[in-house]
Amino acid sequence: MTCVLGIETSCDDTGVAVYDTSAGLLANALYSQIETHADYGGVVPELAARDHIRKVVPLVNRVLTEAGVAGEDLGGVAYTRGPGLAGALLAGAAVARSLAYGWGIPACGVHHMEGHLLAPMLEPVPPTFPFVALLISGGHTMLVEVEGIGRYRILGQTLDDAVGEAFDKTARLLGLGYPGGPAIARAAEHGDASRFNFPRPMSDRPGLDFSFSGLKTFTRTTAMQNDLDSRTIADIARAFQDAAIDSLLIKCRRAMRETGYSSLVVAGGVGANQLLRGKLSDPGVGTGVDVYYPRPEFCTDNGAMIAYAGVWRLSGVDPDDLSFDVRPRWPLDELDPA
Ligand code: KG4
Ligand code: ZN
């Protein structure tokens, strides 16, 4: 039995959790910085780093108490090494490393997107390898062929904006606030799908790459050509969401056809989107394969996925090596098999 403390601080959520290899998730806590950044319409890196410094240790104390585990009895501490905001990552890495040193246990830095990719493993019915993963967050949009832990081949990725970033920018344009994904989804519920028809990016080109900058420009042009009353805002949100989700769907269908795999994992913040979930499970337009998601709270950033990835990654670390760094940019396919 190994118990691992996971610490996530790559962006604007401080996530801390304890995962036990026999008993599963023992405790999970999250502090969201949404209020800190809301006035700015996006994440302010310096404020994010300072907020993590304030929140990590109280959250660690809370989850250890809830889990009933002493720091010294843990098998290790896992923290997000990258990709993400450098200052935010450093805050988590420094605290994680210091705690592990003090407790005399190993620490390891894990890849944030590997955490997202493995998050469905925390569910009662987890996927089995191999599968295709659609990773959709504020910083990434990619399709990955997953043969095992660390055995990742990127099938396609965005050539410009990430899909979550497109949701966030569109929400800001429409005055819907931050974070944009849930705000667009809420506004779109009242929108008229027939009023505007937005292009489905990259759907007419072969391959599995994505692009969202054209859709963003089309949205901005439409917003400038119309009076932004509440009905028009809802209609534009609807047209944008339909186009963005369709473009993800088209590429998922293609990826499943090309790999011949029978399982699709959808993870990352945009994976919480209900329209996407509904369409993927629709026998008419879905992929026709089994789709696995983390529960919605583990789609967005959290400590549980980092603790889980840490279970696999801690075994390879040298406990005497006290040096550490962060990787604000860190390609997923650079990871080694575990
Ligand atoms: O994975 P995540 O929490 O952080 C990153 O690693 O980036 O993803 C955050 C992104 C944001 O862009 C947010 O707008 C988007 O996920 N998001 C959504 C929804 N909930 C969060 N996008 C669409 N629909 C949602 N329901
Ligand atoms: Zn994330």
Side-chain angles (χ1 to χ4, degrees), residues 96-109:
R97 285 275 167 177
S98 309
L99 289 173
Y101 180 71
W103 288 328
I105 59 174
C108 76

Side-chain angles (χ1 to χ4, degrees), residues 18-328:
V18 178
Y19 181 84
D20 180 289
T21 48
S22 347
L25 193 63
L26 297 183
N28 175 57
L30 185 87
Y31 170 75
S32 162
Q33 300 181 355
I34 284 178
E35 276 182 25
T36 307
H37 305 290
D39 287 347
Y40 304 93
V43 180
V44 184
E46 179 62 23
L47 295 182
R50 291 185 202 185
D51 226 5
H52 288 308
I53 291 171
R54 280 191 286 266
K55 294 297 185 312
V56 176
V57 172
L59 286 183
V60 167
N61 286 334
R62 200 211 295 176
V63 295
L64 288 181
T65 305
E66 214 177 297
V69 184
E72 291 81 0
D73 297 333
L74 292 165
V77 182
Y79 60 90
T80 305
R81 182 182 174 208
L85 302 170
L89 291 167
L90 271 172
V95 173
R97 285 275 167 177
S98 309
L99 289 173
Y101 180 71
W103 288 328
I105 59 174
C108 76
V110 309
H111 194 291
H112 180 76
M113 298 314 289
E114 179 168 74
H116 275 304
L117 192 153
L118 297 177
M121 300 293 187
L122 294 162
E123 298 308 318
V125 185
T128 51
F129 300 116
F131 53 76
V132 170
L134 173 71
L135 302 181
I136 37 178
S137 68
H140 292 84
T141 302
M142 51 171 82
L143 275 161
V144 188
E145 183 181 304
V146 180
E147 290 188 340
I149 308 269
R151 296 171 65 201
Y152 310 134
R153 191 166 73 88
I154 295 172
L155 301 170
Q157 55 191 323
T158 184
L159 305 176
D160 39 61
D161 291 354
V163 61
E165 189 182 354
F167 269 87
D168 293 336
K169 286 178 176 167
T170 301
R172 204 179 315 161
L173 176 80
L174 298 177
L176 292 173
Y178 159 86
I184 292 276
R186 268 194 309 274
E189 278 174 27
H190 311 288
D192 173 1
S194 62
R195 174 143 171 229
F196 302 111
N197 188 21
F198 286 13
R200 273 48 178 161
M202 306 285 285
S203 55
D204 51 350
R205 283 207 238 158
L208 294 168
D209 285 333
F210 303 88
S211 165
F212 291 97
S213 69
L215 178 60
K216 186 180 67 184
T217 307
F218 199 92
T219 310
R220 192 184 309 121
T221 310
T222 309
M224 279 160 48
Q225 286 167 346
N226 289 274
D227 275 344
L228 285 184
D229 53 38
S230 59
R231 222 196 67 205
T232 303
I233 288 173
D235 294 345
I236 293 178
R238 174 75 190 258
F240 166 82
Q241 181 175 243
D242 284 353
I245 297 301
D246 260 4
S247 132
L248 297 175
L249 209 64
I250 290 163
K251 294 296 155 67
C252 283
R253 283 201 296 262
R254 210 176 275 175
M256 298 323 295
R257 244 191 346 260
E258 284 183 15
T259 57
Y261 288 176
S262 53
S263 303
L264 172 68
V265 157
V266 179
V270 186
N273 186 278
Q274 291 301 326
L275 178 71
L276 174 68
R277 288 178 174 231
K279 286 203 167 179
L280 277 171
S281 61
D282 183 321
V285 291
T287 53
V289 301
D290 295 329
V291 189
Y292 297 85
Y293 308 92
R295 70 198 79 165
E297 63 176 308
F298 293 163
C299 277
T300 45
D301 293 345
N302 65 86
M305 67 184 195
I306 301 303
Y308 182 82
V311 167
W312 294 93
R313 293 297 176 184
L314 272 162
S315 54
V317 305
D318 171 3
D320 296 326
D321 182 5
L322 298 179
S323 61
F324 72 94
D325 63 2
V326 293
R327 296 280 310 268

